[in-house]
C-alpha cells in the first residue's frame, strides 16, 4: 500500500495503550510495504485477519487483545484506518459500517 491514512489514530492509541505500540508499528510498516491486490493477499500475510464486505479487514493486534479495522482500496493502493480499540470496544461497533 502506498498510503496509509490516519497513522495519527494509531499513534494516539498506542500512546494510551503502550503495550500495543510495537505491534501497531509493525502492522503499519508491513502494510506500507505490502503489494496487496486483494483480500486474499492480506490473508497470506495475516492469516488471522477477518475479511468483511466493502474491502474492510479486521486485524487482531497483540494476540487479539486489540482490534484494528481498515478499509482498503486495492486499486489505488491505500489503506484507511477506520477503528482501533480494545476487544470490548470493538464489540460495541459495527465493523461493516464504521
Amino acid at each position: 500500500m502506498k498510503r496509509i491514512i490516519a497513522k495519527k489514530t494509531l499513534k494516539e492509541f498506542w500512546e494510551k495503550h503502550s503495550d500495543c505500540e510495537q505491534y501497531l508499528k509493525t502492522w503499519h510498516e508491513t502494510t506500507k510495504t505490502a503489494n496487496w491486490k486483494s483480500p486474499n493477499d492480506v490473508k497470506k500475510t495475516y492469516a488471522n485477519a477477518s475479511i468483511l464486505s466493502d474491502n474492510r479487514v479486521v486485524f487482531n493486534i497483540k494476540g487479539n487483545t486489540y482490534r484494528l479495522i481498515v478499509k482498503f482500496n486495492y486499486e489505488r493502493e491505500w489503506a484507511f484506518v477506520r477503528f482501533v480499540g480494545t476487544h470490548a470496544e470493538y464489540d460495541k461497533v459495527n465493523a461493516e459500517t464504521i
Side-chain angles (χ1 to χ4, degrees), residues 7-33:
K7 182 180 181 183
K8 180 181 176 189
T9 302
L10 299 178
K11 186 174 186 292
E12 288 172 353
F13 189 79
W14 79 53
E15 286 173 350
K16 293 179 187 167
H17 303 272
S18 60
D19 61 323
C20 70
E21 179 176 359
Q22 195 54 54
Y23 295 90
L24 289 172
K25 284 181 175 179
T26 299
W27 175 88
H28 186 272
E29 286 304 310
T30 300
T31 302
K32 189 168 71 171
T33 60

Side-chain angles (χ1 to χ4, degrees), residues 30-31 34-36 39-49 59:
T30 300
T31 302
N35 190 25
W36 296 330
N40 288 335
D41 291 339
V42 176
K43 287 288 276 186
K44 288 175 188 172
T45 305
Y46 288 102
N48 292 329
F59 296 91

Side-chain angles (χ1 to χ4, degrees), residues 44-81:
K44 288 175 188 172
T45 305
Y46 288 102
N48 292 329
S50 299
I51 307 300
L52 306 179
S53 62
D54 197 27
N55 289 322
R56 292 170 191 264
V57 179
V58 178
F59 296 91
N60 299 321
I61 305 296
K62 195 183 175 220
N64 209 17
T65 302
Y66 303 102
R67 292 280 181 97
L68 173 64
I69 303 171
V70 180
K71 182 173 180 170
F72 289 94
N73 183 319
Y74 298 101
E75 193 173 290
R76 293 191 174 160
E77 298 185 12
W78 59 252
F80 185 29
V81 174

